Amino acid sequence: MSNETQPVALVTGAARGIGAAVARRLAADGMAVAVLDLDEAACKPVVEEIVAAGGRALAVGADVSDESAVDQAVERVAAELGPPTVLVNNAGILRDNLLFKMTVGDWDAVMGVHLRGAFLCSKAVQRHMVDAGFGRIVSLSSTSALGNRGQANYSAAKAGLQGFTKTLAFELGKFGITANAVAPGFIETEMTQATAARMGVDFEDFKKALISQIPVARAGKPEDVAHTVSFLVSEGAGFVSGQVVYVAGGPTN
């Protein structure tokens, strides 16, 4: 496959965890991958791994809540890898707290990265998708969209991404662009380890308690999410749009 015909994917929040697993999987699927995170240097190990396996990848540093930074990042990807026609909105942060303790800064920071970031990245990338007559947008929601104690900001943002996704599906479908969301349940990542630490709970105990409620009786891995994203961005998923796929090891409430 030549560079001119190779699909180009942009994955945000891809320096580690779910984003890194998605970037690796899409590279294995034959795509050139822009690995974007706040710190460009943090993206380089994932890029080096992809390149070592024979793929093409680019490390990009940008704050997804900054409109100018996003526009510049997308244009850099288009210039150095090719016009992106696959976007995975994965960038996210946690600022958990009970409502009466949550600050306006906690609320705004989470909304800025999750919702504003997905909006800015989707808006910047869709121009290239429209030109190509093909596009795939996948945004990472969460089972927390259904509500979760101590996560008023995060839950609202993840629920918002589901509405955002369905609206994009209506607006962009006629251009050959699909939009879907993936909503993971408990996935073992640095973020979930940090959550346990913040709660003052041993991670193994934290994990055991959560697994006891999961029908498949195991924790999720970043690769579980990556496999689902891989399908949704494929050409074969062209008749799947506006959907929220829960990757949670069982039914959700």
Side-chain angles (χ1 to χ4, degrees), residues 70-238:
V70 168
D71 288 342
Q72 290 176 29
V74 170
E75 291 314 304
R76 181 184 167 200
V77 172
E80 298 189 32
L81 286 182
T85 54
V86 171
L87 170 66
V88 181
N89 289 310
N90 171 73
I93 60 171
L94 291 175
R95 294 291 186 272
D96 294 353
N97 223 326
L98 295 175
L99 180 62
F100 76 99
K101 293 181 179 179
M102 186 174 290
T103 67
V104 172
D106 292 336
W107 178 272
D108 289 346
V110 169
M111 291 296 168
V113 174
H114 292 268
L115 274 178
R116 180 181 169 90
F119 162 70
L120 291 175
C121 290
S122 299
K123 185 178 180 182
V125 170
Q126 61 87 30
R127 295 192 292 268
H128 297 289
M129 297 178 175
V130 170
D131 287 344
F134 173 89
R136 298 286 185 264
I137 299 173
V138 176
S139 297
L140 269 290
S141 181
S142 167
T143 54
S144 290
L146 302 171
N148 198 29
R149 179 180 173 85
Q151 290 193 318
N153 49 5
Y154 186 77
S155 295
K158 291 305 192 183
L161 280 171
Q162 296 188 14
F164 177 67
T165 292
K166 291 176 183 293
T167 300
L168 292 188
F170 281 123
E171 293 187 5
L172 300 178
K174 65 182 179 181
F175 301 107
I177 302 168
T178 66
N180 292 285
V182 176
F186 174 56
I187 308 293
E188 286 190 71
T189 64
E190 291 179 14
M191 186 176 284
T192 52
Q193 290 176 14
T195 298
R198 188 167 53 252
M199 295 170 61
V201 179
D202 177 77
F203 184 64
E204 290 304 313
D205 293 337
F206 179 74
K207 184 167 68 171
K208 187 180 298 183
L210 290 172
I211 289 174
S212 70
Q213 303 172 47
I214 299 174
V216 300
R218 71 170 177 87
K221 303 288 187 184
E223 290 73 21
D224 292 313
V225 181
H227 282 295
T228 306
V229 173
S230 173
F231 164 68
L232 291 172
V233 304
S234 69
E235 288 195 23

